Each structure stands twice: as structure tokens, then as C-alpha cells.
Amino acid sequence: MSAPTDAQRMEKIVSLCKRRGFIFQSSEIYGGFNGAWDYGPLGVELKRNLKNYWWRVMVHERDDIVGMDGAILTHPAVLKASGHVEGFSDPMIDCRTCKAHLRADQLVEKKGVKQCPNCGGKDLTEARQFNLMFETHVGAAAEESSVAYLRPETAQSIFVQFKNILEVSRKKLPFGIAQIGKAFRNEINPRNFTFRSREFEQMELEYFCRPEQGMELLEYWKEERLKFYENIGISRANLNLLNVPDEERAFYSKGTYDIEYDFPFGRQELEGVAYRTDYDLSQHQKASGKSLEYFDEETKERFIPHVVEPSAGVDRTVLAIICEAYAEDQAPNDKGEMEGRTSLRFHPRMAPIKCAIFPLLRNKEPLVAKAKQILDLLRPHMFVFYDESGAIGRRYRRQDEIGTPFCVTVDFETLGEKQSDLRDTVTLRERDSMKQERVKISDLLELLLLRIA
Ligand code: GAP
């Protein structure tokens, strides 16, 4: 069997995501809603595992970062001051032949002539700026004074709450404020599955510092963030660092790099890390008239802190985790014959279900009772799944396909029917190697907790 092409691989991933309940098209029964996605029972677990792990390493395991959860509905003054109302736009071009709306950077160029990527048409409009923010109205009257925006990034609520959080947390520079939450952008062309969506989640850190620390901290976060991706199962070989050149950086940024991942559809941004200087806090101080200065008790200086911002996408990282984990190999079936196997080789830390528990036979009451006892033992500590239907091989295959790293089988040895020294032991099978080991039920919880931590 030849290896699938990247396009075929992506098609298989999208199909598996739907078939096994990771990701569905939003409003599918009404024909779908472009740019919006719903996460199913397994997708929501994977997404939560990712967000919880980000929160753990960015907030709980550090003394210098605190969290917040800001509102999505945003006062227009905030986004005027930040520059989004004026400038958060993409250049858009229409194809007069097929009527497609295109981002200017999506045009293809053949022999120096720009063409529509959909129909090859050359009859294109001039580029015009298209603001990506979703506008809404608050209250009953839909007049200009009631305009609000769905936030296009979580960052602005962090800047706006900077002073409150500084006061309540009593942190000293450098310190950070972290947030995970929804952001909305009216993307001209949502595409590549969940990669470019109109509604998505971000995991953002604003790490405030003294001006002279900015460049050094930009460097510091590089290794921290690369380590993070490795710790969720994304190999460094599939990550790339792109130093954003001066002419492409936001005018206020003194340095930016993107962390990119080699998706089947190409190398694309997972996270941007930007040294945003004191731009945002200065803008909000100017526009609100409220001081956003920091007072250094040692030097008695007052100044606006600078900020380094690692900003990652939840949905893009979930997609990268799935793409990285997707594997096809051969495994023996119940008759011992080799057959094709699809598995998701998730890092156990990210896997939606940590352990599946099977009684060898569903109609043997003592096996079922023991399996349920194990279910009750593990359930308070991790997300587990009980399955008694079908041959064991088929049950393994179903768990492999959704990325469950461990399966426990309760068999006649567990009941001590063959050898009394095997009483109260089970088979623990590992997904990738398919190796099986005999483990005492009394050791199971500790052993699994160590492997999924
Ligand atoms: N506060 C900085 C900021 O928002 P960004 O590069 O525009 O920077 C940060 O966004 C991250 O948010 C991106 O690296 C990406 O992972 C995610 N992101 C941005 N736009 C997205 C979209 N349309 N769909 C999915 N994720 C998106």
C-alpha cells in the first residue's frame, strides 16, 4: 500500500474527526455555517486537555503569572484605542468572473498576471480594506451609540484590566496575565478545516516587563513555547520558527516570530510571539485618561511597562495535535492475521480517554463485576471508558482510532481461575507498541497516573 498524499491524509483526518466525534461542521443539518465548527464528545475532551495543560504550565506552575477571563462583548472605545477599528483589516479583491471574494494574498500569479485561484479569471477588482471585526448592538436601540464588537483577540481585555490586576495581585515586574477565550474575526476566506475560522479560541499571555528586558524576554519565551509543544506530543522536527521581517511586523513591534507547524496542507502559523513594546498600555492610557503606569518601589520610577506576548490558537493547536497523531500501520486481528490499523497516537496527556476497560466476555457476570470495580477505581482520577461489546481485537481497534493510550482487560486470570497468583491482575495494553503487561489491580491507578501526568 503506498503512503497517502498530503491531501489524502488531510481528507482522512477530517473524515475521522467527524466519524468519531471530534469535530463537526457547525449547523450541518442546515447545510453548514462557513467558518464555524462544533466539537463533539471527544473533541471537547481533547480541547480541554490542551487548555488545562496550557493553564497549568503558564499559570499554576509559575509564581509570576496570574489569570483572568474577560468579556467577549467589547466597548468600542477599547478597540478604537488599540487601533482595531481603524486598521484591523485585510485587503480584499473580488473576481468579477466567479464572484469570489478573495484575500489579496490568495491570488495566484502566472507570467506576471494576477489570477483568481478558483476560476483562473483575470477580471479582478482593485483591493479594498475589509475590517475583520464583528460588529453588534447592545440594548434595544440599534443606533451608533449602542455599537459593540465581539473581541478580535483576547489581549485587549488584559491591557484594559492591567491596573486592577496589578493592584490585586501585587506582582512586581516582570509578571504576566494569561487568558484563554473566544475571539472572532470575519475572515474573508475561512479554510483548511478549523485552521482559519471566524470563531476560534486563543491562549494568550501578556508578559509585562521593564523596557530594557523586552528583547531578552522575547528570546526567553521561544524555548518555553517550543518545549510546550513537545510536551503535548508535537515533535520539534515538525515545528518551524519564522522570524517576521521588519516590513511585515506591526509598526509598534520591535520583534516578532511565529511558531509554525507542518500541516498536511503546508507550513502554517500556530502561535505568534511579539514584543509589543508599550504600545497598547500607552494607547489605553491616552484614550481613557487613566494612568496605566507602574511604580517601581526600589528605583522610585514611574513608567509604562513593555510587553512580550506569546499568543497561541487553541483550535489550530488541536488540529496540529490530531495531524501529528494520525497514523496508519498493521496490526493482528482476532484470528492473528495482519490488517490495516488507523490510530491517533496522542500524547497520553492530551488523549480524550485515558484508559478503556473491557471484561473479556460480556455474559460472564464475575468478569463484568470486576471490570466495573476497576471503572469505579479509576473514574475519580481520569476520563475512562467501559466497553463490553464485540471481540477484544475490535474493541482495541476502536480505542486505537480515537487515541486511547491504555486498555485494561479483565480475563479469567483476573478471577484466579487458572493460576491463583494471577488473581486480581489485569492485562494492560499500550496503544502504539500494542505491548501487553500483567499488572496488579492495586498498582493500576498509580501506574496510569504516572503515565498520563
Ligand atoms: N493578540 C495577538 C494576536 O491575536 P494573531 O497572530 O492575530 O495575534 C494569534 O493571533 C493566534 O490566534 C494565531 O497564531 C492563531 O493560532 C490564532 N488565530 C488567529 N486567527 C485565527 C483564525 N481565523 N482561526 C483560527 N485561529 C486563529
Side-chain angles (χ1 to χ4, degrees):
M1 200 175 66
S2 58
T5 63
D6 286 344
Q8 286 167 338
R9 187 177 163 84
M10 197 58 214
E11 228 171 83
K12 288 179 180 187
I13 289 170
V14 173
S15 145
L16 188 149
C17 280
K18 178 175 176 190
R19 193 172 67 249
R20 301 310 309 268
F22 283 89
I23 303 170
F24 306 119
Q25 198 182 15
S26 184
S27 310
E28 192 190 275
I29 60 167
Y30 292 100
F33 195 40
N34 201 7
W37 299 93
D38 296 335
Y39 288 77
L42 294 177
V44 68
E45 297 294 333
L46 174 57
K47 207 178 188 196
R48 271 171 188 254
N49 290 343
L50 169 65
K51 291 192 284 184
N52 289 344
Y53 185 65
W54 187 91
W55 199 260
R56 176 175 134 192
V57 298
M58 297 297 254
V59 182
H60 290 178
E61 290 182 359
R62 299 183 64 115
D63 293 325
D64 57 347
I65 298 179
V66 293
M68 72 163 282
D69 186 21
I72 286 170
L73 280 177
T74 308
H75 194 302
V78 171
L79 295 162
K80 271 187 199 136
S82 65
H84 285 86
V85 173
E86 267 299 300
F88 194 59
S89 50
D90 273 347
M92 182 167 87
I93 286 171
D94 297 335
C95 169
R96 291 198 183 91
T97 312
C98 71
K99 312 287 179 230
H101 304 299
L102 304 160
R103 268 191 9 209
D105 63 359
Q106 288 176 327
L107 296 182
V108 289
E109 197 165 327
K110 284 202 182 137
K111 294 184 185 151
V113 180
K114 297 250 162 80
Q115 296 185 359
C116 169
N118 297 339
C119 71
K122 297 179 193 109
D123 189 5
L124 307 167
T125 62
E126 287 295 308
R128 62 192 186 285
Q129 289 303 319
F130 175 76
N131 194 298
L132 300 179
M133 284 202 297
F134 281 100
E135 194 179 294
T136 188
H137 292 268
V138 291
E143 34 181 84
E144 212 194 307
S145 59
S146 67
V147 164
Y149 296 98
L150 304 189
R151 64 181 176 190
E153 60 174 12
T154 66
Q156 292 308 320
S157 52
I158 299 182
F159 296 126
V160 170
Q161 292 297 351
F162 167 75
K163 206 56 186 261
N164 276 335
I165 294 175
L166 176 66
E167 274 168 21
V168 296
S169 65
R170 298 167 54 229
K171 293 284 175 204
K172 303 263 179 287
L173 290 180
F175 80 94
I177 305 175
Q179 178 169 207
I180 299 178
K182 290 266 184 180
F184 300 82
R185 297 182 190 176
N186 196 3
E187 297 285 354
I188 297 166
N189 255 319
R191 65 202 159 116
N192 287 331
F193 198 23
T194 56
F195 179 82
R196 192 176 298 286
S197 312
R198 291 186 168 129
E199 174 175 344
F200 55 95
E201 270 183 283
Q202 293 184 312
M203 306 180 279
E204 294 200 295
L205 168 69
E206 304 303 327
Y207 197 72
F208 298 98
C209 61
R210 299 182 63 88
E212 62 274 18
Q213 295 172 306
M215 290 311 280
E216 192 187 312
L217 286 169
L218 183 66
E219 198 54 33
Y220 163 80
W221 282 105
K222 200 181 274 178
E223 197 47 38
E224 290 296 303
R225 299 304 304 144
L226 287 171
K227 239 177 10 204
F228 173 84
Y229 289 106
E230 282 188 306
N231 288 342
I232 57 171
I234 296 181
S235 132
R236 204 172 272 215
N238 294 330
L239 293 170
N240 180 56
L241 272 177
L242 172 80
N243 268 315
V244 180
D246 293 356
E247 63 279 10
E248 286 176 29
R249 275 201 316 261
F251 69 90
Y252 49 77
S253 169
K254 277 201 180 161
T256 300
Y257 51 85
D258 291 343
I259 300 175
E260 299 176 315
Y261 177 71
D262 288 325
F263 287 98
F265 46 83
R267 181 170 280 179
Q268 297 281 353
E269 177 187 332
L270 273 187
E271 167 162 355
V273 185
Y275 172 22
R276 295 174 75 127
T277 64
D278 60 354
Y279 171 76
D280 301 273
L281 288 182
S282 298
Q283 288 294 104
H284 289 304
Q285 173 166 292
K286 225 185 296 164
S288 67
K290 305 272 163 35
S291 166
L292 297 180
E293 285 179 331
Y294 175 85
F295 178 64
D296 188 321
E297 277 161 19
E298 271 174 34
T299 62
K300 308 292 176 213
E301 279 173 284
R302 241 175 238 289
F303 61 95
I304 295 186
H306 280 217
V307 74
V308 173
E309 175 200 64
S311 168
V314 174
D315 308 77
R316 282 187 189 181
T317 309
V318 164
L319 186 57
I321 292 173
I322 294 174
C323 291
E324 182 84 4
Y326 183 86
E328 291 177 3
D329 64 358
Q330 299 279 312
N333 63 17
D334 285 308
K335 294 185 200 123
E337 298 154 353
M338 295 305 272
E339 59 180 25
R341 166 175 91 136
T342 299
S343 53
L344 287 174
R345 298 182 165 212
F346 291 134
H347 189 296
R349 183 176 279 149
M350 290 295 112
I353 295 169
K354 308 299 183 192
C355 183
I357 299 143
F358 311 146
L360 184 64
L361 299 171
R362 74 200 298 183
N363 53 6
K364 274 275 175 226
E365 212 282 319
L367 293 177
V368 170
K370 202 49 131 185
K372 293 205 166 152
Q373 265 177 26
I374 296 174
L375 190 71
D376 290 340
L377 169 80
L378 300 180
R379 189 169 259 164
H381 306 274
M382 65 191 80
F383 190 37
V384 288
F385 182 77
Y386 175 80
D387 187 7
E388 56 178 26
S389 67
I392 284 288
R394 286 182 64 81
R395 285 185 249 171
Y396 282 150
R397 229 28 43 86
R398 285 200 290 264
Q399 294 306 314
D400 292 342
E401 207 186 14
I402 58 172
T404 305
F406 303 105
C407 293
V408 161
T409 303
V410 174
D411 52 22
F412 291 104
E413 269 96 359
T414 315
L415 305 180
E417 288 188 2
K418 292 190 180 157
Q419 259 179 273
S420 61
D421 58 334
L422 292 182
R423 185 186 297 278
D424 285 331
T425 65
V426 287
T427 306
L428 179 66
R429 182 249 194 197
E430 197 272 334
R431 178 196 60 212
D432 301 341
S433 63
M434 294 184 273
K435 283 208 181 109
Q436 302 191 4
E437 56 185 313
R438 203 79 209 168
V439 173
K440 283 190 191 151
I441 295 174
S442 54
D443 292 341
L444 194 58
L445 175 61
E446 200 184 331
L447 201 148
L448 285 173
L449 284 176
L450 267 178
R451 295 185 191 177
I452 65 170

